[in-house]
Amino acid sequence: MRILFLTHSFNSLTQRLFCELSERGHTVSIEFDIADSVSEEAVALFQPNLIVAPFLKRAIPESIWSRHPCLIVHPGIVGDRGPSALDWAIQEGESEWGVTVLQAEAEMDAGPVWASSTFAMRRCKKSTLYRNEVTEAANAAVLLAVERFAAGNFTPRRPESGARGRLRPLMRADDRTIAWQRDGTNRVLARLHAADGFPGVPDQLFGQPCRLFDAWPESTLRGTPGTLLARREGAICRATADGAVWIGHVKRPDQIKLPATLAFPEAGALPDAPLAGWWRAATPTWQDIAYEEAGDVGFLGFDFYNGAMGSAQCRRLSEAFRWASTRPTRVIMLLGGEDFWSNGIHLNLIETAASASDASWENINAIDDLAEVILRCDSHLTISALQGNAGAGGAFLARAADLVWARAGILLNPHYKNMGNLYGSEFWTYLLPKRLGLEAARAIMRHRLPMTAAEAVSSGFYDACLPGPVPAFRVDVARLAAELAAAPDFVDRLAAKRARRAADEAEKPLAQYRAEELAEMRRNFYGFDQSYHVARHHFTARSPHSWTPRHLARHR
Ligand code: COA
């Protein structure tokens, strides 16, 4: 079928559906919801059999839904309606939630249902729920709805009158506020989680208005409710009525989202509460890099908000990796976050730096240093285990490990071109051609579109795709890593790795690959062409789209 996506943006859920429907032989084209006339034009040009709206912020115009079948993906259970479905579900502590695919009609989210899927709720950020459970459920429901539509013998039905779901209003700032003197940690976390990603909880820090994001529970620090207790790296800790929480990120009015201590330099006066070493703390606290061991395998976990890796984070992770490689283990697993393994250099930090060019240069060097530490490790076999998505430099950084194992269902965007035609670094010119050949490496860099983990494996870019939700994936990769460490040929494999690296170094030193890539990056950062700076500005400001890029709008 010819399927047109009408969507607010090409977000991760839209990307997933794009890949899955394309893999099933459908021709998918995309138009961003910019203006009714633009959507009407897209429909006229593409002549779709079916229109799907994976992520819309307003209704489809009647001129379209009255003439073409339009399926809306609503992140709520059957019967639920309204623009804040997930926010209410999290804040009100629903134990089960779901996704419904329904036909567009005059009344929003009220049309007949083509398919639905449910999942168990858990205590996590809205953005994490969206990128995991919601995406899986939406994928299942959309594939079923499309199958039913194609078969032509399914009649969608309206929800029965006793359905649990109901119409709920837009969640307003007043619904989200935290009463720090009164609210306990569970309630505070529910409010922060319900607002994560966007729009954040409206509050005040140091007497200034801001929005709070990225909450983590704290189990030992205590103080007068509402007071700020401590800082650690970019995060600050605040007392609740019965405990404390960490706040990793904040957004001040008219500024972009930043680590809390950077947005409020006043936080520098708070007592520092560093963790000793890299071991995972025994009780919950804010910890973005955490090391654990099981037998011969060291698990180096890192969970950076939005997968963005600033210079300091890259340096700390390099240090942690060096330390992990001194441990009496055989395998080191680089286990990134649940939402993202890595999305490369930290564009928000760069955007707010005094010199964006200098900050970009420092960050790309720091991430290259990290890639180099992993590449040069000759004491261990290394594995990148991707439970979450990876994009741009992050997708290539993962390849610096000997093996890359990805969870089925994650999305990869292994290209730099969408960020103002960046050339890219992280040793991709060494890593890709060696594995894929020059032409296939070039094709990946030109591609601009997302790929699934299965595609990455079939192209030879990654090594294995393992099924499952995140907990099952973690169990699987831990078992496989333990098998790798215990295998009779482990010593031979390690020796072969050392020999391969030495031969590669003799053929062309890593330093040369790096210098060549960085010469191109220097032009991107400091040269006449400002595309990267313009693209980064719009990306970090979350500027609305004014047109759909041509590689997505195939009908244009
Ligand atoms: N630096 C800072 N923030 C980043 C980031 C980066 N490298 N990559 C993603 N983010 C942030 C986004 O700003 C967004 O922030 P929010 O909390 O305000 O929503 C959040 O992560 C999620 O990103 P989004 O684009 O909505 O997610 P997605 O799953 O739809 O798309 C990517 C994923 C990777 C395709 C997209 O985020 C992207 O292009 N990132 C930039 C990658 C890049 O060019 N890095 C620099 C070169 S190495």
Side-chain angles (χ1 to χ4, degrees):
M1 287 198 295
R2 297 166 69 73
I3 302 176
L4 179 70
F5 280 4
L6 279 183
T7 184
H8 180 73
S9 71
F10 197 39
N11 73 343
S12 53
L13 169 59
T14 312
Q15 294 177 25
R16 172 78 184 275
L17 296 175
F18 173 83
C19 291
E20 298 270 357
L21 289 168
S22 304
E23 262 173 39
R24 284 162 180 76
H26 301 293
T27 304
V28 184
S29 192
I30 295 162
E31 188 71 41
F32 291 162
D33 178 29
I34 290 160
D36 291 355
S37 58
V38 178
S39 302
E40 286 162 4
E41 188 181 74
V43 174
L45 286 171
F46 191 53
Q47 296 289 319
N49 306 102
L50 180 63
I51 295 170
V52 175
F55 171 49
L56 266 192
K57 294 199 169 176
R58 61 179 198 140
I60 293 180
E62 184 174 355
S63 57
I64 295 181
W65 64 254
S66 61
R67 284 185 216 131
H68 303 268
C70 298
L71 302 186
I72 311 285
V73 179
H74 176 70
I77 51 173
V78 172
D80 179 82
R81 289 164 56 201
S84 305
L86 286 177
D87 311 48
W88 288 116
I90 297 170
Q91 196 151 304
E92 296 191 343
E94 296 282 354
S95 57
E96 187 191 73
W97 201 240
V99 173
T100 306
V101 176
L102 37 86
Q103 188 151 347
E105 281 188 346
E107 218 177 325
M108 222 168 153
D109 303 334
V113 174
W114 279 85
S116 63
S117 179
T118 55
F119 52 84
M121 289 283 275
R122 66 186 160 122
R123 194 167 97 164
C124 68
K125 296 172 190 151
K126 179 174 66 175
S127 41
T128 301
L129 195 72
Y130 187 80
R131 290 189 187 108
N132 289 278
E133 282 86 343
V134 172
T135 297
E136 285 306 326
N139 188 48
V142 167
L143 293 180
L144 181 60
V146 168
E147 221 172 86
R148 286 173 168 169
F149 179 80
N153 55 6
F154 179 82
T155 311
R157 302 213 180 281
R158 284 171 202 288
E160 299 185 356
S161 54
R164 187 160 63 94
R166 60 193 160 91
L167 173 64
R168 285 196 273 200
L170 174 76
M171 189 180 274
R172 304 203 173 273
D174 283 352
D175 302 314
R176 299 186 185 272
T177 47
I178 294 173
W180 290 95
Q181 316 298 327
R182 216 177 42 232
D183 291 344
T185 297
N186 282 342
R187 188 175 158 92
V188 169
L189 283 176
R191 296 207 154 211
L192 285 160
H193 286 339
D196 201 69
F198 181 82
V201 166
D203 208 306
Q204 292 215 338
L205 287 174
F206 304 99
Q208 302 291 319
C210 62
R211 289 178 176 269
L212 312 179
F213 302 87
D214 184 19
W216 298 45
E218 163 60 36
S219 46
T220 51
L221 293 172
R222 293 289 177 268
T224 310
T227 53
L228 296 176
L229 304 175
R231 69 184 158 87
R232 179 179 301 151
E233 302 299 335
I236 52 177
C237 184
R238 189 168 190 180
T240 65
D242 62 357
V245 295
W246 288 92
I247 294 153
H249 282 73
V250 304
K251 184 178 177 312
R252 296 180 70 166
D254 303 321
Q255 292 186 13
I256 59 176
K257 202 186 276 183
L258 288 173
T261 57
L262 191 71
F264 286 102
E266 301 92 318
L270 294 171
D272 194 8
L275 291 169
W278 303 108
W279 290 97
R280 182 175 294 284
T283 53
T285 188
W286 185 93
Q287 188 174 21
D288 58 351
I289 301 178
Y291 179 83
E292 285 166 288
E293 244 170 50
D296 279 332
V297 184
F299 298 89
L300 185 56
F302 52 99
D303 189 357
F304 300 131
Y305 192 63
N306 286 336
M309 294 170 75
S311 304
Q313 285 156 321
C314 292
R315 281 187 211 111
R316 287 171 53 237
L317 190 53
S318 300
E319 198 184 315
F321 182 89
R322 270 191 223 99
W323 173 81
S325 63
T326 64
R327 296 286 308 156
T329 50
R330 291 182 143 197
V331 171
I332 300 173
M333 180 173 287
L334 290 147
L335 201 52
E338 206 175 311
D339 290 6
F340 295 107
W341 195 85
S342 166
N343 280 327
I345 57 176
H346 200 314
L347 299 171
N348 286 34
L349 294 185
I350 291 168
E351 186 65 16
T352 46
S355 159
S357 301
D358 290 351
S360 304
W361 182 250
E362 185 188 352
N363 203 161
I364 200 72
N365 274 284
I367 205 166
D368 277 1
D369 288 343
L370 171 61
E372 205 168 330
V373 171
I374 302 167
L375 272 167
R376 290 191 189 279
C377 170
D378 63 3
S379 54
H380 289 68
L381 287 185
T382 55
I383 303 164
S384 293
L386 282 70
Q387 20 178 13
N389 302 342
F396 299 101
L397 178 67
R399 190 59 277 178
D402 302 317
L403 294 164
V404 187
W405 297 343
R407 184 172 67 81
I410 67 159
L411 279 164
L412 306 162
N413 275 282
H415 43 77
Y416 301 89
K417 283 218 174 309
N418 291 347
M419 194 53 64
N421 282 316
L422 278 183
Y423 181 80
S425 193
E426 292 94 4
F427 298 92
W428 74 265
T429 55
Y430 166 59
L431 295 164
L432 258 64
K434 279 249 176 278
R435 281 182 187 264
L436 309 172
L438 202 55
E439 207 24 63
R442 284 207 183 111
I444 286 201
M445 300 308 283
R446 272 196 310 264
H447 192 51
R448 281 186 181 237
L449 288 170
M451 62 166 75
T452 58
E455 275 177 84
V457 173
S458 67
S459 72
F461 180 40
Y462 286 174
D463 302 293
C465 168
L466 303 167
V470 167
F473 174 80
R474 284 209 206 118
V475 170
D476 272 359
V477 293
R479 178 180 45 80
L480 290 170
E483 282 169 18
L484 183 69
D489 67 347
F490 177 84
V491 174
D492 294 343
R493 281 186 83 150
L494 194 59
K497 162 182 163 162
R498 287 191 190 122
R500 203 167 44 241
R501 178 83 278 288
D504 286 354
E505 188 69 18
E507 187 187 312
K508 178 172 170 179
L510 277 184
Q512 196 178 334
Y513 288 101
R514 179 170 172 155
E516 287 167 5
E517 288 172 4
L518 288 182
E520 299 282 348
M521 290 299 261
R522 183 171 266 286
R523 249 190 299 280
N524 291 143
F525 298 156
Y526 293 97
F528 174 75
D529 177 1
Q530 294 289 302
S531 307
Y532 156 69
H533 295 294
V534 173
R536 190 198 61 244
H537 174 73
H538 288 300
F539 179 82
T540 55
R542 311 305 277 162
S543 303
H545 298 288
S546 55
W547 61 291
T548 310
R550 292 295 177 263
H551 66 282
L552 302 178
R554 292 168 164 181
H555 48 279
R556 291 194 178 274

